[in-house]
Amino acid sequence: MTHAGPAVPVVVHDPRTTTGTAHALVFAPVTPAWDEGAFFAPVIETLTGAAGGEAVPGTGTHPAPAAAGRHAAGAVRAGSGTGPGTRAGAGLEVRAGAWEEAGARAEAGARTGTGAGSRARAAGARAGLRVTVVDTLALLDEDVRTLADLVARWRALLPEFGPVDLLCGNALGGAVAQGLLPYVAPETGVLLVSGPARSDTPLEQRLTEIADLAATGDPDAALTLLHHRVLPEGTPRPGPGAPLSESTSRRTAARRLGQGLRLLCGIDVTPAVAAHPGPLLHLVGGRSQLVTARHTAAAPHHRVHVVPDAGMRPHTDQPAEVSALIETFLREKGLT
């Protein structure tokens, strides 16, 4: 079967054990180019490695369904990520693959009733999750003006990923994940890292400052300021970062940074979060210069945890603490 239209960049990580059947879908933050999920590497390692052993990521760039058509972005080459979360030598290969392959794998992990996680638990096994990471900005174009517009695009594609046991997101990806909560199964778990449910004036001013630099044709300066803002408050401001790689179009980087960051202004998905009956863990940094606890939303059965001494990316600043929190959450909710 073939699909018309360009491809949505996707990276799939297999669990470290074959007993894992639960599926996590991860939405990426704003980056100047698709970084193949490097931004979330410590969390991905925790999600896939609950049972120990060596991880061997499976990868694929899966064609978007024809319904997405012109809205989907093209596939990218490996190693094109240049954002502040990109790790040198991440080694994630994005290759051409068949959407049917992803569908078959999703079908293999399909769950009914209380979910695949509880089946693994009933068998006495702790298993890692299969993790699918998507480029949240892949569906961005001139018609996407608000977070609701972007959520609607992803809502249309959501069924293509098969059953989702855990919905994850960081920054803009976290906001999109929360916007999708009314359209996933009630028992779906949610893992958020600095994903705002609502914005306020200080957050919007800082995001707009970065977006304006990108919009005026200076993505390098925008990226340098973004890199500073994701660090814990009080960290000395770094010097100019590495320039955009030759494989990264400056025009594309400026559009992704400028348009992507503005989508977080004026948002409020609090009702969707409050109404979600499934488990939710939201991690934010205690010294974040951007998203803080005041930008989160939660129902009484959800948990918002502030990671001391961490900035916008607590999974990078305090990886051991974050990993322990996630492992406990997965175990308590029957996902491993």
Side-chain angles (χ1 to χ4, degrees):
M1 178 171 58
T2 34
H3 295 275
V8 172
V10 171
V11 176
V12 177
H13 297 257
D14 290 324
R16 295 183 180 183
T17 167
T18 56
T19 63
T21 55
H23 179 211
L25 178 61
V26 178
F27 287 90
V30 173
T31 55
W34 169 232
D35 69 0
E36 296 102 44
F39 75 97
F40 224 45
V43 177
I44 292 171
E45 292 168 6
T46 302
L47 294 176
T48 61
E54 294 300 320
V56 181
T59 62
T61 301
H62 301 143
R70 62 186 177 86
H71 302 310
V76 297
R77 293 187 298 274
S80 62
T82 56
T86 300
R87 292 184 170 188
L92 296 178
E93 176 191 4
V94 181
R95 59 173 171 80
W99 187 269
E100 295 91 313
E101 176 186 353
R105 296 173 67 179
E107 185 64 26
R111 52 170 170 71
T112 57
T114 55
S118 33
R119 287 207 307 272
R121 183 181 57 196
R126 289 183 62 204
L129 283 72
R130 178 170 57 86
V131 178
T132 302
V133 188
V134 299
D135 179 10
T136 306
L137 294 178
L139 307 185
L140 193 68
D141 64 19
E142 66 278 1
D143 294 328
V144 175
R145 301 177 183 277
T146 66
L147 180 69
D149 293 337
L150 187 57
V151 168
R153 294 279 176 84
W154 281 109
R155 178 190 177 187
L157 283 184
L158 201 56
E160 302 292 342
F161 293 95
V164 175
D165 299 274
L166 185 68
L167 196 61
C168 311
N170 176 216
L172 175 65
V176 169
Q178 291 170 94
L180 288 170
L181 290 180
Y183 313 110
V184 298
E187 69 273 17
T188 302
V190 184
L191 173 62
L192 306 169
V193 179
S194 303
R198 52 179 167 245
S199 62
D200 60 9
T201 299
L203 176 60
E204 292 177 10
Q205 287 176 339
R206 290 189 168 184
L207 293 174
T208 300
E209 182 182 9
I210 301 168
D212 284 348
L213 285 173
T216 55
D218 196 351
D220 290 308
L223 195 54
T224 296
L225 181 55
L226 176 60
H227 181 45
H228 169 59
R229 291 300 189 195
V230 301
L231 296 174
E233 188 172 13
T235 302
R237 186 162 182 161
L244 294 170
S245 68
E246 293 182 2
S247 62
T248 301
S249 161
R250 296 182 64 82
R251 180 177 179 182
T252 297
R255 179 180 63 86
R256 287 172 62 97
L257 290 170
Q259 191 176 354
L261 292 174
R262 291 186 203 280
L263 293 178
L264 288 171
C265 295
I267 68 168
D268 188 358
V269 292
T270 300
V273 179
H276 184 62
L280 180 148
L281 173 63
H282 198 158
L283 304 173
V284 294
R287 290 168 54 198
S288 174
Q289 300 183 65
L290 296 173
V291 178
T292 66
R294 71 176 181 272
H295 301 115
T296 66
H301 61 287
H302 297 159
R303 182 185 181 192
V304 176
H305 183 90
V306 178
V307 181
D309 298 323
M312 182 69 180
R313 290 178 173 169
H315 56 293
T316 298
D317 298 331
Q318 302 292 336
E321 178 179 351
V322 168
S323 179
L325 289 165
I326 294 174
E327 287 179 349
T328 299
F329 174 72
L330 297 175
R331 185 171 58 251
E332 289 178 348
K333 305 311 175 185
L335 290 170
T336 61

